[in-house]
Structures are given as C-alpha cells and as structure tokens.
Amino acid sequence: MVNTWDITIPELTGDETRRAYIYLPESYNYEPDRHYPVLYMFDGHNVFFDSHATYGKCWGMKEYMDYTNTQMIIVAVECNHSPDNGRLQEYSPFTFKDPRLGTITGRGKETMEWLIHTFKADIDSRFRTLPDREHTYIAGSSMGGLMSLYAVLEYNSVFSRAAALSPSVWISTAKIIALIKNSSLDPNTVVYMDYGSREINFHPNMRQKFGRVASQLLANGVMLDCRIVPGGNHCEATWEKQIPFFMNTLLYEP
C-alpha cells in the first residue's frame, strides 16, 4: 500500500507543495504491535508510480516489496522541480560550477536538516517505525545517490546504511573524499554503490573518480558493496533492476 499526501518545506520552497509517499507492507494493517525499519528515498515521484515519474518509468519499488514480502516502510519525497536548478541545489551538499549550468549553490545540508528534524520526526510520530540508527536507511540515484552518501557520512548517527546508485560524485570529487576522510563513522556503516557501464563515460575520468570514492570508503572502514553494472545506464529502468542487489545489502544479516 502506498499513501500520498502534500507537504511543504518552508526552509527550501516556502508554501509550495510537493508530494510525500509512504509504502506500508501488508502486515502493517493486521499486526498492530509490529514496528518496522524505514528506508528514506530521494526523488519520491520516481519511486512508485509510472504516472508520477519524470520520464514515465518509475523504480517499481511497490511491486518489488509486495512480491518479496519485504517487511519495511519506505518513505519518499518529491524533488524540487524548479527550472532554476532547484533539484540540483537541494540535492547537492556542495556549491559547484558547471560549464552548462553555471554556479549551483548547494543546499544539501538544509535538505537533510529538514528531512531528519522535521520529516523523519513526523514519520516516527505517526507510523510504527523503528526510529533508531540501526533500522534507518537512505537511498537514491544520481544527485539523490550523492545525497545518500552525504547523509550516511555526515549524519551517521541517524543512518546506518545507504544505497547510492549512479551517484553524482563527479561534481566535487575532492570534497566528497575529504568528507569521507573527516567523518567519524560507526564501524557498522554499510554502503551499496554502483555505476552503469554505459554511463561511466558521461563525465571525464568518471571511472577513476568512482574508484577513488570507493577506495576512500573502504579505507575509512565502511562495509562497501560496490559494482559496475554490466550494460547499466543512467535511468530508472536500470535502477529498477538493481533493487535486489541494494536491498540485499541494506537488509543483509549474517
């Protein structure tokens, strides 16, 4: 079951509304004493419904969760669709320059502060979640993948595991590596990170940048599941096929 409702993020876009989504497993309705781990996801409009997705194709998370009977809550919020690079600003921890777009002012910290202190707090009060770090995860793709990395590094006391699909580590690789180096991480931190073989050449030296970030995560003790997806591209159809891989990593227990 996926419920949707309208929210505002005053810190970022004032009174402008955007959709929030929550997936509740079937057992939620008939096991009233049960509490669930929570996965937060970026680009919520692309997570559950083709009719809501930017390019007409979603991740298909509901179908996967129902088919596998995975007992987890998924919460996602629609991105900023402003043509003035709204999504890039909200989903970047760093200010950066792009030859085509100019200077992008990073508002990722503001996004995460709202998500943790306002949105997560509301979700934990309204639904039967397991709100502790051990049972709180985060995932996204592209800029949402970058934000997932940022979240698990900068807010490691909140998120124990992250999935970063096709993360945009090209925008400021040196700053990302510095963030990893300077982060105080719980030894149980888990990260899934991938990149598609067909998208690896979209940005100069992308394979090297991806490898440097992966190496630094390993050097800092992160339990990393890292892969290049054969034939993978930068699109929801590819990310949908990776769901079994990253969900296995997020939920793996020995």
Side-chain angles (χ1 to χ4, degrees), residues 187-241:
N188 291 321
T189 300
V190 174
V191 171
Y192 170 93
M193 189 169 69
D194 70 20
Y195 222 81
S197 64
R198 292 182 179 175
E199 61 174 324
I200 202 75
N201 294 321
F202 286 1
H203 302 283
N205 304 314
M206 188 62 214
R207 186 181 296 272
Q208 181 187 42
K209 292 172 182 176
F210 184 74
R212 288 175 61 199
V213 171
S215 295
Q216 193 61 58
L217 287 168
L218 288 172
N220 279 58
V222 171
M223 289 183 279
L224 177 66
D225 183 357
C226 183
R227 57 196 287 264
I228 299 294
V229 178
N233 218 323
H234 199 85
C235 64
E236 280 72 23
T238 286
W239 299 325
E240 179 181 22
K241 293 178 180 178

Side-chain angles (χ1 to χ4, degrees), residues 37-68:
V38 183
L39 170 63
Y40 290 88
M41 295 187 71
F42 294 99
D43 291 309
H45 54 294
N46 291 333
V47 173
F48 298 111
F49 304 115
D50 288 346
S51 59
H52 292 189
T54 302
Y55 301 107
K57 176 71 186 79
C58 74
W59 287 48
M61 286 299 297
K62 179 185 183 302
E63 289 74 15
Y64 175 84
M65 300 294 283
D66 287 346
Y67 180 76
T68 58

Side-chain angles (χ1 to χ4, degrees), residues 102-117:
T103 298
I104 304 297
T105 301
R107 304 187 69 187
K109 183 176 179 62
E110 295 170 72
T111 300
M112 289 308 307
E113 290 290 323
W114 169 82
L115 190 148
I116 291 169
H117 299 296

Side-chain angles (χ1 to χ4, degrees), residues 87-106:
R87 179 176 178 273
L88 291 180
Q89 292 182 44
E90 290 186 5
Y91 285 4
S92 178
F94 319 109
T95 295
F96 67 98
K97 291 184 179 180
D98 182 271
R100 297 166 299 145
L101 303 172
T103 298
I104 304 297
T105 301

Side-chain angles (χ1 to χ4, degrees), residues 38-42 112 115 136-140 147-149 151-152 159 161-164 250:
V38 183
L39 170 63
Y40 290 88
M41 295 187 71
F42 294 99
M112 289 308 307
L115 190 148
T136 305
Y137 320 125
I138 195 160
M147 282 293 286
S148 298
L149 280 178
V152 80
F159 303 100
R161 302 188 178 199
L250 293 180

